Amino acid sequence: MNGIDNITKRIADEGERAVCEIISAAEAEAGALRAEYAEKIEGVRGKILARAEKDAEDAAFRIESSASADARRASLAKKQELISEAFEKAEDTLSSLSGDELISALSSLALRAAEGESGELILAEKDISLKEKILAKCSENKGITVSVKTHSLGGGFIFKRGNTEINCTFARLVSELRDELQLEVAEILFS
């Protein structure tokens, strides 16, 4: 039995050694695979982080651009508001003229509107009492008369020549001048 025992022992020892070699080889292969996949994972992680960083930079740029555009729009709106206020104030100043200043302004406008021809002034209700003084200031053009009709469009007048009416109200004059003077007013206000 000694021979069988020796053979059996040898077979068992060889089996155990083979198992140990297989396990050792498997562990080595597993270690190599772990190292290889750890390296791949690190590469993928680096790419993901780089992409996330780029996406974050892009998002930050878009947010900053949007905020900058919003700020420019708000600034422009405020500037437009201030320009509008300046023209409203000019209209209010014209509408608040009285006495000789108003007579001079209306007669000067009337002469300019008439362009040397005859016509009729339709004054604002509040200014009808000044008609004689306005006509006296317009004496260089005897063709200018004052209508018995009045208007309720604020200060200024409507100049009527035949079937044509020229709106010379202060609101209309300021509105027309706004297009011409808006850039100049902006320069004065914001330079």
Side-chain angles (χ1 to χ4, degrees):
M1 286 227 263
N2 208 358
I4 291 183
D5 284 339
N6 280 342
I7 291 175
T8 308
K9 185 169 181 341
R10 228 183 347 180
I11 291 174
D13 286 345
E14 276 183 39
E16 198 173 308
R17 193 175 27 90
V19 168
C20 284
E21 284 176 9
I22 290 172
I23 290 174
S24 185
E27 284 177 352
E29 189 177 333
L33 285 173
R34 273 199 274 309
E36 180 184 337
Y37 283 108
E39 189 176 313
K40 285 182 180 179
I41 288 170
E42 203 49 46
V44 170
R45 179 189 296 166
K47 286 179 183 177
I48 290 171
L49 288 175
R51 180 65 186 177
E53 194 172 299
K54 174 79 170 100
D55 288 348
E57 287 174 5
D58 291 348
F61 177 77
R62 283 191 304 275
I63 290 168
E64 186 178 317
S65 294
S66 177
S68 179
D70 288 346
R72 283 191 304 275
R73 275 192 295 277
S75 175
L76 181 60
K78 187 61 177 174
K79 286 178 179 180
Q80 288 294 344
E81 183 182 324
L82 291 171
I83 290 169
S84 291
E85 285 178 18
F87 281 101
E88 286 170 14
K89 191 166 194 128
E91 185 179 338
D92 290 345
T93 300
L94 285 172
S95 294
S96 68
L97 289 177
S98 62
D100 290 340
E101 287 180 319
L102 180 59
I103 293 165
S104 289
L106 292 176
S107 59
S108 180
L109 281 170
L111 289 169
R112 206 169 330 148
E115 297 176 331
E117 296 185 27
S118 61
E120 185 176 45
L121 299 178
I122 302 171
L123 295 172
E125 292 173 16
K126 68 179 186 73
D127 299 330
I128 197 71
S129 63
L130 303 173
K131 71 179 181 179
E132 297 303 324
K133 292 180 180 179
I134 294 169
L135 287 174
K137 282 270 198 179
C138 293
S139 62
E140 65 188 71
N141 183 342
K142 300 287 186 196
I144 296 176
T145 60
V146 175
S147 173
V148 292
K149 292 193 270 180
T150 60
H151 72 83
S152 58
L153 302 174
F157 58 86
I158 296 171
F159 186 79
K160 186 172 181 181
R161 183 182 310 134
N163 292 329
T164 305
E165 290 185 351
I166 301 170
N167 186 340
C168 296
T169 60
F170 294 149
R172 177 62 179 213
L173 294 172
V174 169
S175 175
E176 287 176 1
L177 287 174
R178 181 180 182 138
D179 292 338
E180 291 176 37
L181 300 176
Q182 190 164 356
L183 288 177
E184 288 178 46
V185 169
E187 286 178 15
I188 292 168
L189 288 175
F190 308 116
S191 58

